[in-house]
Amino acid sequence: MNGPFDFTLALGDDALIAAQRLAEWTTRAPEMEEDIALANIALDQLGAARLLLSYAGELESAGRDEDALAYLRDDREFRNALLVELPNDDFAVTMAKLFFLAAYQLPLYSALAGCADERLAAIGAKARKESAYHLDHGALWVKRLGDGTEESHRRMQAAVDQVWPYTHELFAADPAAPVDPATVRTAFDEVVGPVLAEATLTQPDSAWAPAGGRAGVHTEHLAFLLAEMQVLHRAHPGAKW
């Protein structure tokens, strides 16, 4: 990434794709209360995405608004981390993704709230409050499943093992950004370690670190997600509701 535009676009894309994935749980969550909770978290992410993509459009100064950035880019133009585009799979995988993403977003948004860019600072101040809830919710389920039955423990450990390698991309150094993501890795580790320990889960030590999302190189899953997300807008370009 290079500068405020790329940084803002990447954060907006993270939030947008995370929102779309979480929304897939609507009417499919394991219990009604969780169905509502995941829908609310998805709406929080969508709200952050709108603010970030709107500002990214202004920084770009190319006439693209939040809708154009969300609906009129192909997958190679998106800058989200690979973690958020991974399929939901089972509930444990979704909770691992939510927990790790929130453990990254909370310190990042908190740092952003104190940055020199007033717009980004305002977005960070708002989003960090929501991220604190997302983190609590994800941590609760990680502990509940990890320290639950033999089967729930097995699934939660498998989910952590599957998702963990994708967390490394979140912290790729970007000294030109308003907040260098590399600087929040310690805060992430300080939150994640104790939660995994309480959940009787083993933190993976794999050196494999898939990346490419910040450069527009994605898994095959993103193209399918975008096809569904963008179909109405592309079928009726310029429509007003």
Side-chain angles (χ1 to χ4, degrees):
M1 293 187 290
N2 184 22
F5 167 70
D6 290 333
F7 175 80
T8 305
L9 184 66
L11 294 191
D13 286 348
D14 282 347
L16 179 64
I17 303 305
Q20 184 72 9
R21 277 289 184 231
L22 286 169
E24 293 173 1
W25 277 103
T26 304
T27 74
R28 295 182 174 90
E31 56 191 34
M32 184 176 295
E33 184 178 357
E34 188 60 23
D35 199 300
I36 296 170
L38 289 179
N40 282 331
I41 294 173
L43 286 172
D44 287 343
Q45 293 283 11
L46 182 60
R50 293 190 63 186
L51 293 173
L52 288 161
L53 292 179
S54 292
Y55 187 41
E58 294 176 27
L59 291 171
E60 185 186 35
S61 300
R64 295 197 291 184
D65 61 9
E66 61 180 283
D67 286 339
L69 288 171
Y71 297 120
L72 298 177
R73 286 183 294 155
D74 294 327
D75 58 331
R76 292 300 294 265
E77 297 176 272
F78 273 75
R79 295 296 180 264
N80 58 277
L82 300 181
L83 177 125
V84 296
E85 70 193 49
L86 297 176
N88 288 324
D89 288 339
D90 69 7
F91 188 70
V93 171
T94 295
M95 287 302 107
K97 288 172 55 184
L98 173 62
F99 174 55
F100 292 146
L101 180 64
Y104 155 75
Q105 286 182 327
L106 179 55
L108 186 72
Y109 284 144
S110 296
L112 205 60
C115 78
D117 186 310
E118 293 183 359
R119 285 283 293 280
L120 286 176
I123 294 171
K126 179 181 184 300
R128 67 179 174 182
K129 299 174 185 176
E130 298 164 345
S131 294
Y133 164 67
H134 304 169
L135 180 60
D136 287 344
H137 191 81
L140 176 67
W141 274 106
V142 169
K143 290 184 283 189
R144 182 177 175 182
L145 295 174
D147 195 25
T149 67
E150 182 179 346
E151 176 64 11
S152 72
H153 175 86
R154 181 189 69 79
R155 290 193 177 204
M156 195 68 244
Q157 183 65 65
V160 168
D161 292 343
Q162 176 182 333
V163 175
W164 179 260
Y166 293 90
T167 63
H168 303 302
E169 182 183 22
L170 299 171
F171 306 100
D174 185 12
V179 173
D180 187 345
T183 63
V184 303
R185 180 68 200 237
T186 299
F188 172 88
D189 290 336
E190 289 174 350
V191 167
V192 168
V195 170
L196 294 181
E198 186 176 344
T200 69
L201 297 168
T202 301
Q203 182 170 313
D205 58 3
S206 172
W208 184 51
R214 297 303 192 208
V217 181
H218 296 278
T219 68
E220 68 274 17
H221 308 299
L222 182 63
F224 290 104
L225 181 150
L226 293 179
E228 180 177 1
M229 186 183 81
Q230 298 175 339
V231 60
L232 185 62
H233 188 94
R234 288 178 180 258
H236 303 281
K240 301 295 183 181
W241 303 91

